Amino acid sequence: MLPLPDTLRPTAERLFGDRLELAERYTDLLAEQGPERGLIGPREVERLWERHVVNCALLTDAVEEGTSTLADIGSGAGLPGVVIAIARPELSVTLIETMQRRTTWLEEVDAELGLGLEVVRSRAEELHGRRTFEVVTARAVAALDKLARWSLPLVADGGSLLALKGGSAAEEIEAAQKTLRKLGGVDPRIDRYGVGEVEVPTTVVQVRRRVEATKKGEVRG
């Protein structure tokens, strides 16, 4: 087992509540199988809780109450999609991943933990015009300009793209301005979650999808 560090326990208990045991089981599965299945590097095992699981769980602070559908693109090992599904069981979570070995892992995790996930083996672009979600998340997938091209068409009108980013977040927003406007992305901003709780807060770029007018003078939303 990979124990939850005492320094992170209060935050983990806040985020996962009575589902903390599920988060612990998921983390153990990832620690045991992740390196050999090419999901994480061997050096990541010791810092799974701090760098990955709690980091991703803090993203749920950005998901508004009342949200019902969420898609995670490039889910890989389930970061952040599986973590979000554990922390927010009221959400209908869809994991979008292109690689067969990763979708197989995600399906096994879903069966083991009973999360009720939808796992879709597909490129995000292949779902344009076919699926939309209130929230779309991504972590370590691509720079914001490219990520927006893949993900914003999947965001429902009035919904949000939530991208976990690092120190280059402001520069990525600046570089993506033209693409965001073209795709209906508005009000890009940077938020940090876990300030005062964890050593390295989670940095999230949020972009809203513009609500389109249905009739002249009428706005859908």
Side-chain angles (χ1 to χ4, degrees):
M1 286 186 61
L2 187 68
L4 171 62
D6 290 340
T7 55
L8 295 176
R9 183 166 293 278
T11 303
E13 290 177 344
R14 176 180 74 80
L15 294 166
F16 292 112
D18 60 6
R19 290 166 68 86
L20 180 57
E21 183 180 345
L22 281 178
E24 291 174 322
R25 287 167 60 191
Y26 166 68
T27 305
D28 285 341
L29 286 171
L30 195 50
E32 293 165 5
Q33 302 179 27
E36 67 183 51
R37 298 180 69 163
L39 299 165
I40 59 171
R43 296 180 180 178
E44 298 303 308
V45 172
E46 291 186 359
R47 50 188 184 180
L48 267 177
W49 277 108
E50 179 179 0
R51 187 182 178 109
H52 300 287
V53 177
V54 171
N55 174 265
C56 288
L58 283 164
L59 179 61
T60 61
D61 286 342
V63 179
E64 295 177 356
E65 294 295 331
T67 299
S68 59
T69 60
L70 181 147
D72 181 44
I73 69 169
S75 291
L79 300 163
V82 169
V83 175
I84 292 170
I86 294 172
R88 294 285 292 273
E90 79 278 11
L91 294 173
S92 175
V93 176
T94 298
L95 308 182
I96 302 170
E97 171 57 50
T98 60
M99 296 184 66
Q100 179 67 60
R101 63 182 175 84
R102 292 176 178 170
T103 57
T104 298
W105 153 262
L106 294 169
E107 288 167 349
E108 291 173 4
V109 168
D110 182 39
E112 175 74 19
L113 302 183
L115 299 176
L117 300 167
E118 178 188 21
V119 180
V120 178
R121 186 185 175 198
S122 175
R123 295 165 58 198
E125 309 95 291
E126 294 169 350
L127 300 177
H128 291 179
R130 296 167 50 197
R131 300 288 300 273
T132 58
F133 307 87
E134 291 168 81
V135 172
V136 173
T137 61
R139 180 180 191 250
V141 172
L144 185 61
D145 182 78
K146 184 180 289 186
L147 178 63
R149 298 176 194 272
W150 295 341
S151 58
L152 271 177
L154 298 176
V155 179
D157 288 356
S160 296
L161 164 64
L162 300 176
L164 281 85
K165 289 293 179 181
S168 65
E171 290 81 0
E172 289 191 37
I173 288 176
E174 183 62 30
Q177 288 287 356
K178 183 177 179 180
T179 298
L180 295 178
R181 287 194 296 270
K182 180 179 179 181
L183 294 171
V186 297
D187 302 327
R189 71 171 195 257
I190 300 170
D191 294 307
R192 290 181 173 85
Y193 298 93
V195 176
E197 289 185 277
V198 295
E199 184 176 349
V200 181
T202 296
T203 299
V204 178
V205 171
Q206 175 169 303
V207 181
R208 289 280 186 183
R209 180 80 185 271
R210 183 175 58 239
V211 178
E212 302 291 350
T214 55
K215 297 179 183 178
K216 188 174 181 179
E218 180 184 346
V219 175
R220 184 173 56 199

